[in-house]
Structures are given as structure tokens and as C-alpha cells.
Amino acid sequence: MDEGPAAATRDAFAYLELLAREAPAAHFDDPLLHVPGADPDAPGDGATSDRARQLAREIRGMFERQQRRDMGSTALLDAAREFLAGHGVEELLRLTCRRARTLLSLDIAYLCLYDQKTDSHVVEAVDGHSSDLTPGFVVPPGAGLANPATRRAAPVWTQDYLADARINHSASIDEVVRAEGLRAIIAVPLGAKGTSAGVLYAGHRTVRHFSPEEVALLGTLSEMAGAALENAGLLDELSAETTARATEAVRVGEELRSVRRLAEAQAALMERALDGSSLPQLLATAGDLLGGSVLLADAAGRTVVGNGAAEARVAPEVFTAAARAAGATDTPVESAPGVWIAPVRGADDRLGHLVLHRAKPPTPEDAGLLRLCGQSVALLVRPGAATEETVLREELAEALLVGGEWIGQRLLAHGRTVGLDFTAPFVVVAARPVAGLTDRALAWAAAYTRDNGGLRVRIDDHLVLLLPGEDPAEAARTVEAFARGMGGPATVGAAGPVTDGPGALPAAYDRSVRCLGTLIALGATGKAASAGQLGPVMTLLSHERDVDGFIRATIGPVLDFDARRSADLAVTLEAYYAAGGSPTRAARRLYLHPNTVSRRLDRITELLGPQWQDLTAGLDIQLALRLHRTRESLAPCPVAAEG
């Protein structure tokens, strides 16, 4: 064998030996020195040896790249396991920064999330030694690497940030980069392509080129982090919602227990008040419910009725001051250690004061119990002229609601006698107890109207309550709840408010009765509603259908305007609804210019108010238009005069 081929073979085997041993790169400069048994002084083939050295180094570089890829894949797998461990959003942000920094062996990594309010990115987490770059730093919009990274939906990097003229520099960003000593920086959109919610940055304090493999690794990490953060955000929201619901459930449970206790206490007290029990027995029941001793005292603090367990024992001037404060706030006021005062209100004035002796201050629930005790006491403690007053109030209520010859100044005078102010708004409530008009039902109605400054009267098979207020729906619900607590469910309809004097009360009473009839027709026995809530349903289902009243109440101003001006507003409304609420299509149906239709709709808004376009009001208006059109088409044609 020639010396040349033999030397080449020897050198090739030497390089293979080094590759097999994963020798350091420096050993490849003179392989015979590092291969056991080889003669380093033996002559070799120079060209062949150089070629072998080059190939060996390329193979070693390929192995190193593969090793780095394997290490990167392992690091990504470890990161995926951490991301799936159920961390919260804040912990995931810090974890993502740490993984990004260690994945590429960089000096610092930080993560920014997009803030829609400021249209900028805000630093939320930082990993690595930093001084000026802290969470909360706002990246100016359009500056730095965030804008090109999110615009391209791909990683963007620079080997030397401050020296790179391609970047849209910002003074605030440059100052931080300079303070941190950063040179090479890479920015990767957070999340999958097209769904970036932020930017992941990583930086090095020396000039550095990022290889395609490194860019790909960081991009994959960013996609994984984006998905994990989205899931963590959903989990945080779900956890917060679950916690809120649990808290709300606890609160509602406490309220339900409080309401149940109040309802049970109310039933017990009213049972005492209505079954002929004496006032001492009623006060003893109240003391048992409140865990103390309850007595009735007059305005000076003198005990009127007690149960033998306690007396007021409070100086008159102190008692008077506390009673005045309790009457103003309608809550118990402490007049002495362990002595609490609450007012008892009658039809015209306070009937006295309840005095609770208890070491522990009353809770809001206890305050409600004291008010219920006061209502029960008011049923038993009445002024001497209670019978005459009751007759007067019932006659007055019937005259106001049904109408009579004496409506006028005499009626107003009688109203002022019982404390009514006809300049204030009133609602009319019609209630039909499910169990019928028993003495118990009449008693709770009398108690409720006395406590609320109103009137009540029995008409046919139902009770009518005239009450101060502006919300008939709320009045109906309150009366129904009170009736249920007093003696059983009742079906309740309400109408109003009446704001233009007692002359409008009969019409409101009529609407409340028709509302009551509609509830019964709907099978909603034991429920409460107002005429406004039922809307056109009341017109269709009530026993006495006031079609004309419904039409006038719904579109009366429009019909009156058409009658005066021949403006065709009603026709425009019909076309507008037929066109699905489109003024343009309505104009085509009417063969009019769209501006004409728009002006007509503006006029309708002036007449009916802006709420006419609401869904509920729209249904009412369409029904009223249909009823009006049908009634007009059925009207008899005028007979021509004979000539």
C-alpha cells in the first residue's frame, strides 16, 4: 500500500475516533495527538487530512445542532408541563419570562400585555437582573419592536438595539435599554398567529445574532404561553365567578333566613293581635322573639303596659330625645345601656314607644322585628274614636274611588281630616284574597293602610287600597307580600299614579280592577302586577275590555295630530313597523322620500316620547294601530243625502 492512501486512511480513522468519543473541537486540529496508539510524528496526506478535518467538524457541528434542538425540545416539553400545572395568570407570566430567558441563555426576559384603554403594551412580568425595567412600564404605541412583531405576527429581533436604525426608537424605551445595558433583543407575539394579546421580549447584554432555531424555539414557547394564559384567564374568571356566586349564595341564604324569621315572627305577632290576646301577652311574645323584655311606654317614658320583668328606668328628657331620634330614623335608638326605644305608629300619630331591654344591640333584623311588634301593638291600641274614624275613612275611600255627588271641596276637607294630601301622587290597588274577604283580610288591609297613610274599602269581592306613591308595580308587590304574611296569598292589581287630583281616581280604580281580572284570567292567582306591566294583555283578557281607552292611552296624541293636520302619522307608523323598523323601506312602501318619513318619525317621537321605539312599547303601539284600523274599517259608511 502506498504511504499516501495509508496516511489518509489513518487520519480518517483518527477523526472518526474523535467523533465517536465526542471529543472537544480543539482536538480536531491535531487528531493524532488525542487518539491512543496513533503516531503523531507519522507523515500524512495534507489535502486528504484537511478534507477529513472539515467533514469531521461539519459532522460534529451537525451533532451539536441536533443536541441543541433536542435540548430545546426537552425545555419546551418541561415548559408545557409547567404551563399545564394550573397556575394563575400572574404566576404564568413570571414562569413564561423565566423559561424564555433560560431557553436561549439570555440575560433578561420580560412580557408585555396589550391594554386597549391606552392602546399600548404594559410590562407585566420581568425575569433576570433589572433595575429600571419593572412591571408597570408602558411601551409607547408604535415604538420599539412590539409594533412590527404584532403587525407581522412573527418574531422580530435586532443584534444591537440602540444602533439599529430600522427601529422606530422612543426616548423612554431607549433610556431603559441603555440603563439595563441591553444590546441584542428579540420580540415574539404572545399566542398563536393572528391572536396576539401581548409581546414576549428577551434580551442580551452583548451583541448577538439569533439563529433560526432559536427564533423558532422562542416562537413555539410564545404560542404555548399564549394558550396557557388564555386558559388561566378563563379559569381565574371562572374561579372569581364561582367565589362571587358562593358569596352571593351565603348572603342570599342569610337574607332568606332573616326573611323567614321575620315572616314567622310577623305571623306569630299578628296571630296574637287578631285572636283576641291582651297587650301584655303580645308584648311577652315580642320579648321571646327578640331575646329580651319588651314594654310599651308613653312619650315621657312612663310604662303603660309591661310584663313585670322590666321598667323603662330612663330619665324623661333622655327618653324624649331618644324617642325623637327613633321616630325620625324609624330605627331603634339606645337611650341607656341595654335600653332601646322604637316608635309605635297609629293612624294619626304615635301611640307610644316600644322599649326593649337587652344587653346586645339589636341587629337590622331585630329592628325589623321591632317594627312588626309596633304594627301588631297598633292593631290593639287604638284611639277612643277609632270606630267613627274607620267609618269615615271607608266612606271617604268609596266616594273617591267609585265617585259620588259630594266630590269637591267637601271631599277634600274630609281627606285632610284623615291626613291625605291630594297634591301628592296616589296609586290604587285592588286585592282579592285567595281565601276570600275574611275578618283577617279586612284587619290586615286596615293595618297596612294606616301604617302607610292610605285608605281602604271593601267593594264587592275585593279590597281596594288607596296609597300614596308613584310606582303601582312596587305597590302591588308590597301589598301582596304583606297580605301573604298576614293571612294568606292574595291576587293584586294596581294602577296609577294619579297626579291630577281626586277626580282621576275612579278611572285608576277601574284599571286596577281590570288588571286584577286579567291576572285571574291568566291563572296567576296569588300574584301581583300593575296595569302598565300587563299592557295590551289587559285589554285582550280583562272582563271589561276598554279598547278605546287602550287606543287613546297608546297612540292618542298621534291620532289627534292626524285629525288636526292630516299628517298621516298613523299610516307612517304602520308602514314603519311593516318594514321591520327601517325608515328607508317604509319610505318605499309609502312612495315618499326617506327624509319625509324621518321627519314624521321625529314628530311621532315628540308626541309619544322616545320610549315608543322600545320593544314593549312597540308591541302596544302595533296592537293599538291594528285595533284602530279594524275599528275604522268596521265603522258604518255615511249615507249620501238625497238631492
Side-chain angles (χ1 to χ4, degrees):
M1 177 181 292
D2 295 338
E3 184 63 27
T9 302
R10 181 191 61 208
D11 292 346
F13 275 107
Y15 285 115
L16 289 175
E17 178 74 18
L18 293 178
L19 287 172
R21 291 166 48 195
E22 297 183 0
H27 291 188
F28 286 80
D29 293 334
D30 197 349
L32 297 179
L33 291 175
H34 305 286
V35 176
D39 183 5
D41 298 325
D45 186 350
T48 303
S49 179
D50 290 342
R51 179 59 180 162
R53 182 184 300 109
Q54 180 183 358
L55 290 175
R57 286 178 173 174
E58 289 179 359
I59 293 172
R60 186 180 183 281
M62 181 180 65
F63 287 161
E64 289 179 346
R65 290 192 297 272
Q66 182 61 44
Q67 187 179 26
R68 286 195 297 270
R69 283 195 292 269
D70 291 343
M71 292 175 60
S73 298
T74 302
L76 288 177
L77 184 59
D78 292 341
R81 292 194 185 99
E82 288 184 325
F83 290 161
L84 294 175
H87 298 289
V89 173
E90 292 185 3
E91 179 61 25
L92 272 176
L93 293 173
R94 291 192 293 268
L95 182 62
T96 301
C97 290
R98 185 166 64 252
R99 279 292 178 181
R101 184 178 64 81
T102 58
L103 186 64
L104 302 186
S105 299
L106 299 173
D107 293 321
I108 190 172
Y110 53 101
L111 195 150
C112 300
L113 295 182
Y114 179 68
D115 185 358
Q116 291 183 345
K117 295 181 179 179
T118 60
D119 188 29
S120 58
H121 289 81
V122 180
V123 175
E124 299 291 344
V126 180
D127 187 78
H129 177 70
S130 65
S131 55
D132 287 20
L133 187 59
T134 57
F137 176 77
V138 177
V139 179
L145 299 178
N147 190 47
T150 54
R151 186 176 65 251
R152 300 175 190 174
V156 175
W157 63 275
T158 175
Q159 63 181 3
D160 193 349
Y161 183 91
L162 294 176
D164 197 334
R166 299 171 301 167
I167 299 173
N168 183 18
H169 288 270
S170 165
S172 59
I173 299 178
D174 289 357
E175 181 180 353
V176 171
V177 171
R178 192 175 293 108
E180 298 294 340
L182 297 178
R183 304 292 294 274
I185 300 177
I186 183 171
V188 186
L190 191 65
K193 186 174 182 180
T195 61
S196 175
V199 178
L200 174 62
Y201 294 87
H204 207 61
R205 291 189 170 93
T206 60
V207 174
R208 170 174 174 169
H209 292 267
F210 292 95
S211 68
E213 291 83 359
E214 291 176 325
V215 174
L217 277 176
L218 202 58
T220 302
L221 177 69
S222 175
E223 291 185 12
M224 293 166 49
L229 285 169
E230 182 177 359
N231 292 334
L234 293 175
L235 288 175
D236 284 355
E237 291 179 6
L238 181 60
S239 176
E241 183 177 355
T242 301
T243 302
R245 288 182 180 273
T247 303
E248 180 67 12
V250 172
R251 186 189 64 79
V252 171
E254 293 175 350
E255 288 185 357
L256 287 175
R257 285 191 292 272
S258 177
V259 169
R260 188 178 297 111
R261 183 189 174 205
L262 287 175
E264 292 172 353
Q266 187 178 47
L269 291 169
M270 295 308 297
E271 189 72 28
R272 285 290 190 183
L274 298 175
D275 66 1
S277 297
S278 64
L279 189 54
Q281 291 173 322
L282 177 63
L283 294 175
T285 300
D288 293 339
L289 292 171
L290 289 163
S293 177
V294 180
L295 56 86
L296 181 66
D298 62 13
R302 295 183 294 267
T303 300
V304 177
V305 179
N307 54 18
E311 297 293 331
R313 298 196 305 271
V314 179
E317 61 276 8
V318 176
F319 187 95
T320 302
R324 188 181 301 112
T329 60
D330 203 26
T331 56
V333 172
E334 189 176 24
S335 61
V339 181
W340 305 84
I341 299 175
V344 177
R345 300 187 183 278
D348 297 319
D349 201 353
R350 296 187 187 89
L351 299 175
H353 301 84
L354 290 178
V355 181
L356 170 64
H357 288 260
R358 196 178 79 170
K360 187 169 62 175
T363 64
E365 182 180 338
D366 295 332
L369 271 174
L370 271 175
R371 283 192 290 271
L372 292 177
C373 294
Q375 293 174 0
S376 302
V377 169
L379 289 177
L380 295 180
V381 183
R382 296 184 177 93
T387 302
E388 296 179 4
E389 177 195 340
T390 301
V391 173
L392 174 62
R393 295 172 71 89
E394 290 184 352
E395 290 179 351
L396 177 60
E398 186 172 4
L400 287 168
L401 298 171
V402 180
E405 297 179 356
W406 61 317
I407 293 181
Q409 293 301 318
R410 182 183 176 189
L411 183 63
L412 297 178
H414 280 278
R416 285 191 292 270
T417 301
V418 296
L420 295 180
D421 179 11
F422 289 115
T423 63
F426 281 81
V427 295
V428 181
V429 179
R432 180 182 294 171
V434 175
L437 287 179
T438 61
D439 290 340
R440 183 186 293 267
L442 294 172
W444 69 249
Y448 186 82
T449 51
R450 279 201 307 271
D451 289 344
N452 291 276
L455 300 174
R456 74 106 170 102
V457 65
R458 172 178 179 171
I459 300 178
D460 297 329
D461 61 345
H462 57 272
L463 289 165
V464 186
L465 289 74
L466 176 62
L467 300 168
E470 300 182 23
D471 189 346
E474 178 64 23
R477 289 192 296 269
T478 305
V479 169
E480 190 277 330
F482 187 82
R484 186 180 296 274
M486 290 297 99
T491 309
V492 182
V498 176
T499 58
D500 47 359
L505 288 173
Y509 164 61
D510 179 70
R511 283 177 59 80
S512 69
V513 172
R514 288 194 288 114
C515 179
L516 175 63
T518 302
L519 288 172
I520 295 173
L522 288 171
T525 303
K527 305 297 182 181
S530 68
Q533 288 176 309
L534 296 182
V537 177
M538 193 173 75
T539 302
L540 297 174
L541 297 182
S542 65
H543 179 67
E544 298 178 5
R545 299 177 178 86
D546 183 13
V547 175
D548 183 72
F550 172 70
I551 293 174
R552 297 302 307 171
T554 307
I555 59 172
V558 171
L559 298 179
D560 292 342
F561 192 91
D562 280 348
R564 294 194 306 269
R565 304 285 186 86
S566 299
D568 288 336
L569 296 184
V571 174
T572 303
L573 265 179
E574 290 177 308
Y576 175 79
Y577 286 120
S582 170
T584 303
R585 291 198 295 271
R588 288 199 295 267
R589 296 175 70 95
L590 295 172
Y591 300 98
L592 295 173
H593 193 278
N595 290 344
T596 302
V597 173
S598 297
R599 286 194 296 272
R600 290 183 179 182
L601 293 177
D602 290 341
R603 177 66 67 182
I604 291 169
T605 301
E606 293 176 6
L607 296 171
L608 300 182
Q611 69 277 4
W612 74 270
Q613 298 189 66
D614 294 343
L615 178 59
T616 302
L619 293 174
D620 293 358
I621 292 172
Q622 291 181 66
L623 177 58
L625 288 169
R626 181 64 61 87
L627 291 173
H628 172 68
R629 186 64 61 203
T630 302
R631 189 173 62 176
E632 290 292 311
S633 65
L634 297 176
C637 297
V639 179
E642 295 182 4

